[in-house]
Amino acid sequence: MDAAICLFSSDLRLHDQPVLHAALRAAPRVVPLFVVDTGIADAGFMVPNRAAFLADALADLDAGLRERGGRLVIRTGDVVTETCRVAAETGAGEVHLAAGVSGYALRRERRLRAELASAGRALVVHDAVITALPPGAVLPSGPGKDHFAVFTPYFRRWQAAGRRSVLPAPRSVRVPAGVRSEELPSARVLCPDGTPSPALPEGGERAGRRRFGAWQRSGMADYQDRQDDLPGDATSRLSPYLHFGCLSPVELVHKASARRDAGAEAFVRQLAWRDFHHQVLAARPDAARADYRARGDRWRFDRAEVTAWKEGRTGYPVVDAGMRQLLHEGWLHNRARMLVASFLTKTLYVDWRVGARHFLDLLVDGDMANNQLNWQWVAGTGTDTRPNRVLNPLVQARRFDPRGDYVRRWVPELAGLAGPAVHQPWKLSGPERAAYDYPDPVLDLADGLVRFKRARGLD
């Protein structure tokens, strides 16, 4: 076999890249291929923020390949059609691909396998590329159990499982002569409609490795104590790089585990949560749109309330701060994600799918497994063992933003309110209240709790 194809998907990197590594072993020449999937755009999932990050990541990947004598080949269209076309043009006998877990990825993989086989070619799918441990690698005891539905027992098995070694980046990549490539796409080409958020991170493997290196040196040790600190912003912010595969979760687990400190252990636990959600979605692909555990919810939809939530104008400052951070950065602190999601689903009692879709429209790290299943966890339709827990925004604010600094950062019209008073501006006297251009609460928290309890039959 003279040529093989490395079909990049959510694994846009050269370090610890099993797909490229296997393709280079299989043939003397390799086509590093990325297909701009028009199916994703047609489904509405190519949004400005992710398009901008993807454009950066593709440019960085191409630069890394050129340093090694290769280049990234770009095609646009249906992934199966374009990959088979490149295979025919180059005589490639094998196509190597990272395993996905979404229903869309699995259907695409089945189609590609069948089309290649009809032409006498093979598809080779590689595990532990997008996740640290492949879905299904560890299973609960008992017949018919195809995934873990509770995180803690999964995490114990995940910790005990063996992990593959970290692979070095290739020294050279030889691409077949004459293979046609389109130009690297810009964000505007990838997503003609809409403008990216003003404070997006730089995409690509090199940016991701710099960010991880800096955070490992200066932030990881304190992560256990500060991961919920809203104003401190002490999380790694690596989720976009993991979503696009600019960083390897296997490599991150190895490097963090070698430290053996509490901060590193807490970080590894978060990587395990990511794997947990991927193994749930792999076993239950319909959980991307259907309740994992139906609770008989008859969700409300009040357009004015939902609009206030999306715009960060609910009248609850810590909720509004989170939603405005999302609008500005295309990213949101994990604690803020939980409290704004709880407010929508448990206080306003709005269908989790409304919030999940809004997040996917804005998040740079908009990942089907983690976004949808985290929303279900908060809504009580997912894997949470306490499905009726409600995160009170005032309690959350006092605990995770005690001085109000996070709120003042993102709700500037309240910046003149000192200390924790910023969390309850409705308590100001009449003249003071009139001085602040900030809305009254969309509803009373007690009324929202009564509404939720009645809906779930808890009253």
Side-chain angles (χ1 to χ4, degrees), residues 13-49:
R13 63 179 185 268
L14 297 177
H15 290 83
D16 194 42
Q17 175 43 288
V19 181
L20 179 58
H21 199 265
L24 289 168
R25 286 200 315 268
R29 291 176 175 79
V30 167
V31 182
L33 174 65
F34 183 85
V35 180
V36 179
D37 187 353
T38 51
I40 291 177
D42 291 344
F45 289 106
M46 183 63 79
V47 297
N49 288 344

Side-chain angles (χ1 to χ4, degrees), residues 65 125 149 172 234 291 295 299 308 336 381 385 397 404:
L65 287 165
V125 177
S172 66
D291 290 346
R295 305 292 179 187
W299 303 105
T381 63
T385 55

Side-chain angles (χ1 to χ4, degrees), residues 295 297 342 346 349 377-381 384-391 449 452-453 455-458:
R295 305 292 179 187
D297 288 301
S342 179
K346 299 284 181 64
Y349 196 55
W377 189 91
V378 174
T381 63
D384 188 5
T385 55
R386 293 173 52 201
N388 296 317
R389 80 172 81 204
V390 177
L391 300 182
L449 185 59
F452 173 69
K453 285 185 174 181
R456 285 272 172 98
L458 303 172

Side-chain angles (χ1 to χ4, degrees), residues 279-395:
Q279 60 96 39
V280 172
L281 190 62
R284 299 288 186 272
D286 64 339
R289 58 189 179 278
D291 290 346
Y292 179 79
R293 290 191 175 111
R295 305 292 179 187
D297 288 301
R298 301 179 66 180
W299 303 105
R300 296 176 64 260
F301 184 84
D302 183 301
R303 188 171 301 279
E305 291 180 356
V306 171
T307 299
W309 177 81
K310 288 181 178 181
E311 294 178 352
R313 300 283 294 173
T314 67
Y316 289 95
V318 74
V319 173
D320 294 342
M323 297 307 293
R324 295 187 195 187
Q325 182 182 20
L326 175 61
L327 286 167
H328 186 76
E329 295 189 341
W331 183 87
L332 186 56
H333 190 288
N334 183 60
R335 173 56 56 176
R337 295 189 198 209
M338 288 193 290
L339 72 90
V340 302
S342 179
F343 187 84
L344 184 73
T345 59
K346 299 284 181 64
T347 302
L348 301 181
Y349 196 55
V350 172
D351 194 329
W352 64 267
R353 282 159 281 245
V354 173
R357 180 68 224 203
H358 182 65
F359 270 32
L360 285 177
D361 286 343
L362 293 172
L363 284 173
V364 182
D365 61 20
D367 178 276
M368 190 60 69
N370 286 285
N371 185 65
Q372 307 302 89
L373 290 168
N374 271 314
W375 267 96
Q376 291 224 48
W377 189 91
V378 174
T381 63
T383 61
D384 188 5
T385 55
R386 293 173 52 201
N388 296 317
R389 80 172 81 204
V390 177
L391 300 182
N392 182 304
L394 298 182
V395 174

Side-chain angles (χ1 to χ4, degrees), residues 7 26 88 91 117 152-153 160 163 177 181-182 192-193 248 250 254 284 293 304 354 382 427 437 458:
L7 179 57
T152 300
R163 245 168 287 284
S181 176
E182 300 168 11
D193 300 323
S248 159
V250 172
H254 275 289
R284 299 288 186 272
R293 290 191 175 111
V354 173
K427 287 190 172 183
D437 178 24
L458 303 172

